[in-house]
C-alpha cells in the first residue's frame, strides 16, 4: 500500500486535482509501479514490423523495450537489457536484424529472445544454462486489430477486457480502414519539460484551449486551400458560440472519447482535405454496412480523440497516433505517428502525412504552443505554496447528452468530462492492489506478479 | 549522408567574387531571421523553393537508406505556400510563447560553394549554430548543416532549395517554430 491520500490528491466531487501530482518524485515512482508496470501499454503497430527480423524500440514507462517479429512471425517484446550485466543489446530505433548483440561482452540473442551466442563459452563456463539467460520477455503481448500492446503484469486482464468499451470506438478507425490500418516507419519524437499527465489530458479532452492557446495557428491553418475556416471543430474562431450539439465527450470505464459527431469535421484543419473527404464518402457505405448507422454516419470522419489509459491517444481526423512516454516527473517524450489506411491511394496517404507534419509534427503549426504551458504548470509546482493549490476541471459537470453508444456522454467538446475521467481513472489505478482493479474488476484479487519478479526469484 | 535528390555536377570552379557574395548573402539571411523579419525572408526565397528537414533516424549502418520498414520522415517538407503559412502564424500577434519575445542568434560558417549544371545556380553547403533564448534562462541550441541551391537572379541570390540536417533524433526543444 501507499502512503498517499488519493482522495485529497484527486477530489472527484469537486473536480479538483492537487498540483503536487505533477511534481512529487515519490508520486512519480509510484506511477511507474502502479500504472506503467500494470496497465496494457501501446507498443506500436504490426505494419511497422511486417517481416521476420523487423524490430522497433519503444518504452513501457521508463523501461526500454525491443519489439521484434520472430522466425515464426510471432511478435514478442523484451526488456532491452543483456541478462549478463544489463547493457542495452540494441541501440537502433528500428530496422531488421538476425540477432541482438551486447556491445559489452558480445552475448547475442536471436529474434525469439533466446541466448544464441556467448563468446568463449566452452572455455570459460561449465555448462552455462542458456535457457536461464534469454532476454526477459514482457509478460503479455497482444494485438488488437494490428495495434500492439504489452503488459508487464502476469495476472492482468486480457487486452480485450482491458480495452472494454473503448474497442467500440477504436473499431471505427481500424475496421473502416481499407486493407487495415497502416503506420509506416518511425514516429516524430520530441522531449518536453513537463509532467506526462498534462499532454495526455490535453489531447484527450481539452477542447477549451484550442481557440485560445492555438489562436495564431488557428488563424492560418486551412487557409492555403480553401480560405479560413470560421467554424473549426465546433468552436468558432473567436471562441464564442460553443455549439453544445456539435460534439460529445464520453467517459467509459477506464478510457475516454471526444468526438464531433458530424462525420467529416476531422479534416477541418487540412489545407487540402478534398482527396480525404472524397475517400471518406466513397468508403462510407461499406463502413455503415460493417459498423452500423451510428458509427458509419456520425463517428467515421469526425474529429475523434480516443484516449486509452494511461498514455495512448488515437486521433481520427488529425489522423495520428500519439503516445506520451514519461521521463521522470518533470519530463516526457511525445511520439507521433501518422496513420493511414493501407489500401488508400498513395496521393491520399500523402495528404495525411503532409497534414500531420504540418500541424502536430515537431515543427507543427499547433504543436509548439502546448509545450510552454505544460512546462509552466509542472515547474511552478516546485514552489511549496503553489504545489498546495488545486486545479479545477469542473466544466460541464452534470451536463448529460443522449447517446446510444457505450459510455456516459456529456455535450460539447468545450467540456472537461474526459479530463475528469482521466484523473478519476488515475486515482483508481494508483489505489489498485492489482491489474484487475485498475479496470474495475473485483476478481481475482491475487497480488500482482510481474515477470520481473519471477525472474528475480527464478 | 546527403540527399539523393540533389544532383551534383562535378565541382566546377566558382569565382572568388561569387563565393564571397554567396557567403555575404547567407550571413545577411541569418540576420534577417534573427531579427524576425519574416516577410523579408520570404523575399529571399524562390517561388519554387522546397525546404526540408529530415529526421535523422537512429538505425544500424546496415539498415540505412530505406532497407527496412523504416521510411524517411520529415519535420518540415514545405514549398513556398507552407513557409508563407508558418511566417503568417508568427505575424498574427497571437503566438503567446513568443511574447515576451524569443531572442535568436544564428551563426553560419564552413561555407562551401560549387557550381552546378545550371549556370545561375550554386550548390552551397554550410554549417550552423542556432541559439534561442526565451523567458529568464530558457536557452536552446541546435547545430546542423545545410545543403542549399542558391539561384542568382536580377535582384540578387535567392534560396531555391534547402535541406537542413539536424543532429538530434529526439527534438530537444518545446517547438521548432523557426527557420534554419
Amino acid at each position: 500500500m501507499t502512503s498517499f491520500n488519493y482522495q485529497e490528491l484527486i477530489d472527484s466531487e469537486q473536480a479538483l486535482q492537487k498540483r503536487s501530482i505533477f511534481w512529487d518524485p515519490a508520486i512519480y515512482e509510484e506511477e511507474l509501479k502502479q500504472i506503467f508496470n500494470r496497465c496494457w501499454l501501446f507498443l506500436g503497430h504490426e505494419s511497422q514490423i511486417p517481416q521476420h527480423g523487423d524490430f522497433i524500440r519503444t518504452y513501457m514507462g521508463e523501461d526500454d523495450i525491443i519489439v521484434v517479429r520472430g522466425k515464426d512471425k510471432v511478435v514478442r517484446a523484451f526488456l532491452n537489457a543483456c541478462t549478463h550485466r544489463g547493457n542495452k543489446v540494441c541501440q537502433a530505433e528500428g530496422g531488421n536484424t538476425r540477432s541482438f548483440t551486447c556491445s559489452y561482452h558480445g552475448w547475442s540473442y536471436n529474434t525469439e529472445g533466446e541466448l544464441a551466442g556467448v563468446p568463449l563459452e566452452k572455455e570459460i563456463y561449465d555448462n552455462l544454462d542458456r535457457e536461464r539467460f534469454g532476454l526477459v520477455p514482457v509478460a503479455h503481448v497482444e494485438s488488437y486489430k494490428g495495434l500492439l500492446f504489452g503488459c508487464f503484469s502476469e495476472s492482468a486482464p486480457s487486452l480485450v477486457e482491458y480495452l472494454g468499451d473503448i474497442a467500440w470506438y477504436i473499431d471505427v478507425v481500424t475496421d473502416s480502414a481499407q486493407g487495415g490500418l497502416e503506420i509506416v516507419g518511425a514516429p516524430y519524437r520530441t522531449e518536453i519539460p513537463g509532467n506526462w499527465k498534462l499532454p495526455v489530458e490535453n489531447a484527450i479532452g481539452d477542447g477549451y484551449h484550442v481557440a485560445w492557446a492555438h489562436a495564431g495557428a488557428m488563424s492560418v491553418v486551412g487557409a492555403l486551400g480553401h480560405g479560413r475556416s470560421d467554424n473549426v471543430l465546433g468552436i468558432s474562431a473567436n471562441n464564442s458560440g460553443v455549439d453544445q450539439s456539435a460534439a460529445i465527450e464520453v467517459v467509459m470505464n477506464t478510457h475516454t472519447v471526444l468526438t464531433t459527431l458530424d462525420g467529416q469535421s476531422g479534416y477541418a484543419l487540412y489545407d487540402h482535405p478534398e482527396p480525404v473527404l472524397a475517400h471518406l464518402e466513397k468508403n462510407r457505405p461499406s463502413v455503415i454496412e460493417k459498423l452500423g448507422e451510428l458509427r458509419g454516419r456520425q463517428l467515421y470522419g469526425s474529429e475523434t480523440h480516443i484516449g486509452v489509459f494511461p498514455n495512448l491517444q488515437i486521433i481520427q481526423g488529425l489522423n495520428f497516433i500519439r503516445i506520451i512516454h514519461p521521463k521522470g516527473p518533470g519530463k516526457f517524450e511525445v511520439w507521433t505517428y501518422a496513420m493511414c489506411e493501407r489500401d488508400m491511394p498513395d496521393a491520399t496517404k500523402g495528404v495525411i502525412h503532409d497534414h500531420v507534419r504540418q500541424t502536430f509534427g515537431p515543427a507543427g503549426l499547433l504543436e509548439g504552443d502546448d509545450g510552454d504551458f505544460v512546462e509552466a504548470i509542472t515547474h511552478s509546482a516546485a514552489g511549496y505554496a503553489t504545489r498546495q493549490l488545486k486545479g479545477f476541471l469542473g466544466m460541464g459537470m452534470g451536463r448529460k447528452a443522449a447517446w446510444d453508444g457505450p459510455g456516459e456522454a456529456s455535450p460539447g467538446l468545450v467540456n472537461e468530462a474526459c479530463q475528469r475521467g482521466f484523473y478519476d481513472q488515475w486515482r483508481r489505478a494508483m489505489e489498485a492492489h492489482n491489474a484487475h482493479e485498475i479496470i474495475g474488476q473485483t476478481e481475482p484479487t491475487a497480488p500482482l506478479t510481474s515477470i520481473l519478479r519471477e525472474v528475480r526469484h527464478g | 549522408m546527403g540527399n539523393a535528390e540533389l544532383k551534383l555536377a562535378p565541382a566546377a570552379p566558382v569565382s572568388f567574387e561569387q563565393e564571397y557574395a554567396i557567403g555575404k548573402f547567407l550571413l545577411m539571411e541569418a540576420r534577417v531571421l534573427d531579427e524576425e523579419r519574416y516577410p523579408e525572408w520570404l523575399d529571399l526565397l524562390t517561388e519554387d523553393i522546397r525546404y526540408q528537414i529530415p529526421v535523422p533516424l537512429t538505425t544500424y549502418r546496415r539498415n540505412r537508406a530505406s532497407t527496412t520498414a523504416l521510411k524517411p520522415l520529415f519535420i518540415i517538407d514545405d514549398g513556398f505556400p507552407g513557409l508563407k503559412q508558418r511566417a503568417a502564424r508568427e505575424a498574427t500577434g497571437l503566438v503567446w510563447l513568443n511574447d515576451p519575445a524569443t531572442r535568436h542568434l544564428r551563426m553560419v560558417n564552413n561555407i562551401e560553394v560549387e557550381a552546378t549544371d545550371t549556370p545561375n545556380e550554386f550548390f552551397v553547403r554550410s554549417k550552423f549554430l542556432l541559439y534561442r533564448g526565451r523567458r529568464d534562462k530558457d536557452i536552446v541550441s541546435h547545430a546542423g548543416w545545410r545543403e542549399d541551391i542558391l539561384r542568382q537572379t536580377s535582384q540578387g541570390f535567392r534560396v531555391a532549395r534547402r535541406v537542413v540536417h539536424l543532429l538530434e533524433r529526439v527534438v530537444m526543444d518545446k517547438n521548432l517554430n523557426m527557420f534554419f
Side-chain angles (χ1 to χ4, degrees):
Chain A
M1 270 311 288
T2 64
S3 54
F4 299 103
N5 178 352
Y6 288 105
Q7 178 139 12
E8 197 233 337
L9 295 176
I10 304 295
D11 180 341
S12 300
E13 280 176 25
Q14 302 289 318
L16 302 173
Q17 314 78 37
K18 192 167 175 187
R19 293 198 182 142
S20 59
I21 66 170
F22 305 123
W23 178 260
D24 187 339
I27 291 176
Y28 176 73
E29 281 304 316
E30 197 66 14
E31 286 175 332
L32 291 183
K33 179 163 74 75
Q34 292 287 114
I35 295 174
F36 292 95
N37 200 46
R38 278 180 176 167
C39 291
W40 282 93
L41 302 172
F42 182 68
L43 300 174
H45 190 269
E46 291 205 41
S47 58
Q48 292 178 281
I49 45 172
Q51 307 296 334
H52 165 227
D54 284 349
F55 72 94
I56 48 174
R57 288 250 308 285
T58 187
Y59 294 97
M60 293 174 67
E62 291 214 50
D63 290 298
D64 191 327
I65 303 293
I66 299 169
V67 185
V68 57
R69 195 177 288 274
K71 280 192 207 79
D72 50 6
K73 289 281 185 179
V74 171
V75 175
R76 297 175 178 83
F78 302 99
L79 291 183
N80 184 12
C82 184
T83 51
H84 177 216
R85 299 296 308 283
N87 180 32
K88 294 188 185 205
V89 298
C90 180
Q91 293 286 0
E93 66 179 277
N96 183 278
T97 192
R98 281 179 300 182
S99 61
F100 299 99
T101 303
C102 178
S103 59
Y104 194 1
H105 303 94
W107 283 31
S108 174
Y109 305 84
N110 64 22
T111 52
E112 292 73 49
E114 297 158 344
L115 181 59
V118 176
L120 307 174
E121 181 179 350
K122 290 206 174 71
E123 288 89 337
I124 54 179
Y125 286 110
D126 298 322
N127 299 319
L128 177 69
D129 181 3
R130 284 197 191 180
E131 282 187 22
R132 271 180 66 200
F133 294 104
L135 288 177
V136 175
V138 174
H140 302 287
V141 175
E142 287 185 24
S143 169
Y144 184 77
K145 302 184 177 183
L147 300 163
L148 295 165
F149 290 81
C151 180
F152 281 126
S153 173
E154 191 66 47
S155 66
S158 71
L159 176 60
V160 167
E161 281 180 283
Y162 180 81
L163 293 174
D165 283 342
I166 199 75
W168 190 84
Y169 297 90
I170 294 175
D171 289 349
V172 178
V173 176
T174 52
D175 294 5
S176 68
Q178 294 183 346
L181 200 64
E182 179 186 76
I183 304 297
V184 178
Y188 291 116
R189 296 170 59 182
T190 305
E191 186 181 276
I192 303 288
N195 183 269
W196 69 274
K197 295 185 285 300
L198 293 163
V200 171
E201 48 117 323
N202 172 273
I204 65 172
D206 196 331
Y208 189 26
H209 86 296
V210 177
W212 181 255
H214 301 298
M218 292 298 276
S219 31
V220 299
V221 288
L224 288 187
H226 54 94
R228 179 175 168 172
S229 176
D230 287 331
N231 194 306
V232 178
L233 308 183
I235 308 169
S236 76
N238 61 5
N239 204 21
S240 61
V242 173
D243 187 347
Q244 291 285 324
S245 67
I248 49 170
E249 293 202 356
V250 187
V251 176
M252 274 150 285
N253 193 11
T254 317
H255 314 293
T256 59
V257 163
L258 169 165
T259 181
T260 53
L261 298 174
D262 62 0
Q264 61 169 23
S265 66
Y267 305 91
L269 298 183
Y270 281 42
D271 278 310
H272 300 286
E274 297 81 7
V276 184
L277 294 176
H279 175 84
L280 218 59
E281 293 318 315
K282 192 165 152 245
N283 200 20
R284 193 179 299 279
S286 83
V287 178
I288 291 171
E289 197 179 314
K290 255 187 259 177
L291 299 174
E293 289 281 330
L294 183 61
R295 285 187 286 180
R297 290 201 192 283
Q298 289 210 264
L299 296 187
Y300 179 60
S302 289
E303 179 71 23
T304 302
H305 294 219
I306 299 170
V308 180
F309 188 83
N311 60 344
L312 169 67
Q313 299 98 51
I314 302 170
I315 303 188
Q316 175 187 272
L318 294 171
N319 251 63
F320 57 79
I321 289 179
R322 172 160 281 197
I323 181 133
I324 307 294
H325 293 297
K327 299 281 169 196
K331 219 187 267 181
F332 61 87
E333 251 186 57
V334 49
W335 291 26
T336 304
Y337 313 71
M339 59 178 188
C340 294
E341 303 178 18
R342 207 188 74 186
D343 294 345
M344 261 180 176
D346 284 346
T348 312
K349 287 182 188 176
V351 170
I352 291 172
H353 282 278
D354 286 350
H355 175 76
V356 171
R357 181 176 59 242
Q358 195 78 0
T359 53
F360 284 96
L365 290 163
L366 290 97
E367 177 69 8
D369 297 321
D370 294 329
D372 220 30
F373 51 79
V374 162
E375 176 182 31
I377 294 168
T378 303
H379 290 265
S380 63
Y384 183 82
T386 307
R387 204 185 309 158
Q388 310 311 310
L389 302 178
K390 293 182 174 183
F392 176 53
L393 289 171
M395 191 194 304
M397 269 181 109
R399 277 196 234 148
K400 300 255 184 284
W403 174 238
D404 292 332
E408 194 167 300
S410 187
L413 62 68
V414 179
N415 193 327
E416 287 164 346
C418 287
Q419 292 156 282
R420 282 193 298 279
F422 172 76
Y423 286 112
D424 288 348
Q425 178 56 34
W426 180 85
R427 176 180 153 186
R428 183 158 65 177
M430 295 297 273
E431 288 176 330
H433 299 87
N434 57 61
H436 292 269
E437 282 183 18
I438 289 175
I439 60 167
Q441 290 180 337
T442 49
E443 297 288 334
T445 51
L448 171 76
T449 320
S450 80
I451 189 76
L452 297 174
R453 194 168 302 170
E454 278 198 350
V455 168
R456 220 167 16 245
H457 293 294
Chain B
M1 297 291 281
N3 193 297
E5 284 181 50
L6 283 173
K7 186 84 177 158
L8 298 189
V14 175
S15 74
F16 178 81
E17 286 78 10
Q18 276 169 324
E19 192 155 347
Y20 180 79
I22 285 170
K24 283 287 189 194
F25 171 81
L26 290 180
L27 298 187
M28 180 270 289
E29 186 212 355
R31 181 167 49 78
V32 166
L33 285 171
D34 283 351
E35 293 170 0
E36 300 182 305
R37 290 154 57 186
Y38 299 117
E40 284 159 88
W41 180 69
L42 292 172
D43 287 341
L44 301 177
L45 314 177
T46 65
E47 294 269 333
D48 62 346
I49 186 176
R50 186 145 182 215
Y51 181 108
Q52 294 179 310
I53 308 180
V55 172
L57 298 174
T58 305
T59 59
Y60 287 118
R61 290 173 189 268
R62 65 175 182 274
N63 282 163
R64 268 194 184 157
S66 293
T67 57
T68 70
L70 286 179
K71 296 283 179 267
L73 186 68
F74 292 88
I75 292 170
I76 293 182
D77 186 1
D78 275 357
F80 189 76
L83 296 171
K84 203 173 154 187
Q85 189 181 37
R86 292 176 191 279
R89 173 186 182 275
E90 298 301 317
T92 58
L94 302 172
V95 181
W96 316 129
L97 57 86
N98 280 338
D99 193 8
T102 300
R103 298 170 281 271
H104 306 254
L105 187 151
R106 289 163 173 81
M107 290 189 275
V108 179
N109 54 22
N110 296 51
I111 297 167
E112 296 177 277
V113 182
E114 287 178 30
T116 69
D117 291 339
T118 312
N120 63 337
E121 291 190 350
F122 300 88
F123 175 61
V124 184
R125 291 188 189 87
S126 60
K127 292 180 180 153
F128 64 85
L129 273 173
L130 190 162
Y131 287 90
R132 292 201 299 174
R134 299 174 64 250
R135 310 298 195 242
D136 290 344
K137 52 182 181 181
D138 186 357
I139 300 277
V140 179
S141 64
H142 298 276
W145 55 289
R146 303 184 299 189
E147 295 170 297
D148 293 345
I149 297 285
L150 295 189
R151 190 177 299 159
Q152 193 152 27
T153 73
S154 55
Q155 280 101 43
F157 290 106
R158 295 289 179 265
V159 184
R161 181 90 167 84
R162 173 162 291 170
V163 183
V164 180
H165 297 277
L166 296 174
L167 307 184
E168 63 211 46
R169 167 61 179 100
V170 178
V171 174
M172 306 283 282
D173 200 341
K174 288 189 286 289
N175 65 73
L176 290 181
N177 295 334
M178 73 290 220
F179 301 104
F180 293 94

